[in-house]
């Protein structure tokens, strides 16, 4: 099995470069806003990443879930906290979130084994 973490990061980087190469002001501002929204502030980065993860699960965006899982992993957020945050998202989003929860577990496992 190919390393899904490496594949995801390579794809994301390659495509972000292509998107940003068009030098569209709106796109660049959205990317900048996204970066700044997750910086340390009144809420710690850890809290923001868990919020991002939870919202991404409810919105069923697997790429976003992967991005926030990786950020949580790099921040050394314990798996138990990540799982608890995802369980709240499952409650809010309902059973339609279950397939994305499965993918999240798969990706977290890949991060741990990377």
């Amino acid at each position: 099995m190919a390393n899904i973490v490496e594949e995801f990061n390579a794809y994301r980087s390659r495509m972000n470069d292509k998107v940003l190469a068009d030098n569209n002001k709106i796109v660049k501002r959205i990317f900048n806003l996204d970066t700044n929204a997750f910086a340390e502030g009144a809420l710690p980065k850890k809290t923001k990443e868990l919020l991002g993860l939870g919202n991404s699960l409810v919105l069923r965006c697997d790429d976003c879930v992967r991005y926030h899982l990786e950020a949580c992993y790099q921040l050394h957020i314990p798996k138990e906290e990540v799982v608890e945050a995802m369980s709240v998202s499952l409650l809010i989003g309902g059973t339609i979130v279950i397939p994305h929860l499965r993918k999240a577990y798969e990706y977290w496992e890949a991060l741990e084994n990377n």
Side-chain angles (χ1 to χ4, degrees), residues 8-93:
F8 173 70
N9 286 318
Y11 173 79
R12 185 174 179 277
S13 179
R14 183 176 70 251
M15 295 312 297
N16 281 351
D17 288 347
K18 288 184 180 196
V19 168
L20 293 171
D22 280 338
N23 204 30
N24 180 283
K25 181 169 61 174
I26 296 168
V27 170
K28 283 189 165 194
R29 286 183 177 177
I30 292 292
F31 272 58
N32 185 280
L33 183 63
D34 180 69
T35 298
N36 286 310
F38 288 93
E40 288 286 334
L43 292 174
K45 186 164 178 47
K46 171 185 173 177
T47 301
K48 291 180 178 186
E49 289 300 341
L50 288 170
L51 286 166
L53 173 61
N55 287 312
S56 297
L57 265 173
V58 171
L59 291 171
R60 301 184 305 274
C61 177
D62 291 327
D63 280 7
C64 299
V65 168
R66 286 179 173 190
Y67 175 83
H68 292 292
L69 279 173
E70 192 157 343
C72 289
Y73 186 79
Q74 290 172 350
L75 288 169
H76 306 287
I77 299 174
K79 181 180 179 182
E80 294 77 16
E81 291 182 32
V82 171
V83 169
E84 190 167 318
M86 292 192 303
S87 71
V88 173
S89 301
L90 177 60
L91 173 66
I92 300 301

